[in-house]
Amino acid sequence: MQERETLFDQLRQARAWDIQIPGYIDRDGSRPRFVPFPESVYVALEGGYLQLKSVGDEGRMTMHMVAEPVVPAALVDDEDEFAVGSNGLTYLADAHSEFRITRIRGVRNPDGGTAAQYHCLEFQFEKSWYLFVDPGYHFGIRLQGEGAYERWLSMYGVRPPDAGEGFVWTP
C-alpha cells in the first residue's frame, strides 16, 4: 500500500507529454515499419515515465515509475531494433503541450501480492483528455479513450467477478 501512495504522490504534480508503446522496427519489407509490442505502455512525464505493465496473460497490470522505456524481454534478438511509438496525439490531442493528471480511477486486484495490481485504469488529463488502459487484451494492453471505463464496467455487470475494489484518485 505504501508503494502505491508513494507513486500517486509522484504523480500529483507530474505533467504528461506523450503516451508511448514499445516495439521494434521490422526492416524485412520494402519499407521499415514499426511493430508494437504492447506488454507495457508508458505515460511520458517530466523527468521519467509511468510504466503500465501487464502481468502475463492474467488481465492485470502494475504501475511503476521508470527512467526510460524498457526493452521487452521478448526483444532480445540482436536483429530486433527497439523503438517506441507515440500515441500522444490520439489521447492528449496536442503534440506541443503537457497535461496534469486530474484523476485516475480503476479497479484494483485484491490478490496483487506485494505490488499493487489493477484490472483497468482510466487517466483523465487537463482539458478532459482520457486514456483507458485495459490489460485484458490478448496481445497485452489495449488503449482506449473517453467512455471506455464505463463500457468495461458494464461488460461485467458494474463490477467484474473477483475484481476487488474500485477507486478514484485525484491530486
Side-chain angles (χ1 to χ4, degrees):
M1 190 64 96
Q2 178 68 29
E3 175 185 335
R4 188 181 69 141
E5 290 179 17
T6 300
L7 175 64
F8 285 142
D9 283 344
Q10 291 174 313
L11 295 177
R12 195 169 305 282
Q13 297 300 320
R15 298 180 74 78
W17 56 270
D18 199 4
I19 310 300
Q20 298 179 352
I21 298 177
Y24 65 95
I25 305 298
D26 180 359
R27 297 187 184 280
D28 290 341
S30 60
R31 297 188 198 290
R33 72 182 179 100
F34 175 74
V35 179
F37 197 78
E39 76 172 12
S40 57
V41 171
Y42 296 89
V43 178
L45 306 168
E46 301 167 323
Y49 293 81
L50 176 63
Q51 179 190 46
L52 306 162
K53 184 173 178 160
S54 66
V55 177
D57 290 329
E58 300 175 21
R60 295 177 292 172
M61 69 184 142
T62 58
M63 278 195 299
H64 301 283
M65 292 298 294
V66 295
E68 60 184 35
V70 178
V71 177
L75 296 182
V76 296
D77 188 339
D78 289 340
E79 294 181 18
D80 292 336
E81 182 181 347
F82 176 68
V84 293
S86 172
N87 283 288
L89 287 177
T90 304
Y91 299 102
L92 299 176
D94 189 343
H96 304 289
S97 296
E98 297 175 342
F99 300 97
R100 280 185 335 98
I101 299 169
T102 58
R103 180 178 74 183
I104 299 174
R105 62 181 178 162
V107 178
R108 280 190 289 263
N109 177 22
D111 301 322
T114 58
Q117 294 183 0
Y118 305 89
H119 286 287
C120 69
L121 292 167
E122 178 195 64
F123 294 83
Q124 182 178 356
F125 301 92
E126 288 178 306
K127 312 286 187 197
S128 294
W129 303 119
Y130 289 85
L131 172 67
F132 179 74
V133 185
D134 177 7
Y137 183 50
H138 175 72
F139 297 106
I141 293 178
R142 176 177 49 194
L143 303 178
Q144 297 178 64
E146 185 175 5
Y149 183 75
E150 287 79 12
R151 286 190 303 273
W152 189 91
L153 290 175
S154 70
M155 282 180 10
Y156 295 104
V158 181
R159 285 179 52 118
D162 305 321
E165 57 189 276
F167 73 94
V168 175
W169 173 82
T170 55

